[in-house]
Amino acid sequence: RAILINLAKIGQGLVKDAQALGAELEVSMLEIIRSICEVAMDPSHKDEAETAIALKDAVRDMRPLLDDAFVAYLKYAIAEEEGKLARGGVLDDPEHNRWLFVLKIVQEGVYKELSVGVKRYIDHIWYILRMKTKSERKALLEQLVDVMPTMDIRPFVKVVDNIVGSLGSAVKGEFADGVLLGDMTNQLLQLQRDVNDILPPDRINELSNDA
């Protein structure tokens, strides 16, 4: 019984630690949103066009902070705010939905900036796949990695993994109706292997620490 009591106390302490960590994380997310809002409210901007340019630049500069956790937090915050407003019957009331409006504007800006990065990674992948031989493709990948901004390393690897993951069961050698892997699929599989070879977890962590 004493052991169970001690375990319960430890469990309560872990819950409190998790709650504190969650609160700290939320504060950091709100700080990013606040920084973006400050740019939008800067009175020095002469018109909407100038404000839009300033916002775009600000979001681009914050790109290292716009990770999966921040994107997930935005989705969570918007869903929570919509639910709260809906329960109060004021979802469409401008006097009550200002914070929701702000969150959605920030989300739109973040998505636009992230899409620019994804397009750039896909362009890199396409250039690599255009090479005729395996050695040429790997050599070009090595060159791209050498000059790639360190903050782009993890997103680039993730895009490669997502593309290969979208190929489905074929990557596991499960072929339906005798369909064989096409040249492009083989090249993508090779690209993923080369990425794992050139960018093992230890090197990714090392490069990310320099970002």
Side-chain angles (χ1 to χ4, degrees), residues 92-112:
D92 298 320
D93 187 345
E95 292 297 321
H96 292 83
N97 64 9
R98 292 176 182 175
W99 179 236
L100 177 63
F101 185 67
V102 168
L103 288 173
K104 287 188 174 182
I105 289 178
V106 171
Q107 184 185 54
E108 181 181 356
V110 168
Y111 281 177
K112 283 183 179 179

Side-chain angles (χ1 to χ4, degrees), residues 167-186 189:
L167 298 176
S169 59
V171 300
K172 302 176 183 177
E174 300 170 5
F175 311 115
D177 303 323
V179 177
L180 298 178
L181 290 174
D183 288 341
M184 184 66 73
T185 302
N186 282 323
L189 291 172

Side-chain angles (χ1 to χ4, degrees), residues 151-163:
M151 66 180 179
D152 285 347
I153 296 295
R154 285 187 189 277
F156 175 73
V157 174
K158 183 177 180 180
V159 168
V160 172
D161 289 340
N162 286 344
I163 291 175

Side-chain angles (χ1 to χ4, degrees), residues 26 29 61 78 97 164 180 184 196 210:
E26 184 167 17
M29 300 300 179
D61 291 341
I78 288 173
N97 64 9
V164 173
L180 298 178
M184 184 66 73
N196 292 334
D210 294 335

Side-chain angles (χ1 to χ4, degrees), residues 45 47-57:
H45 303 319
D47 51 35
E48 290 185 6
E50 192 171 304
T51 299
I53 293 173
L55 275 172
K56 181 179 179 181
D57 292 343

Side-chain angles (χ1 to χ4, degrees), residues 26-36 38 62 70:
E26 184 167 17
V27 168
S28 68
M29 300 300 179
L30 290 173
E31 181 62 25
I32 297 173
I33 294 173
R34 184 190 64 79
S35 298
I36 296 173
E38 281 186 347
M62 294 179 187
F70 182 68

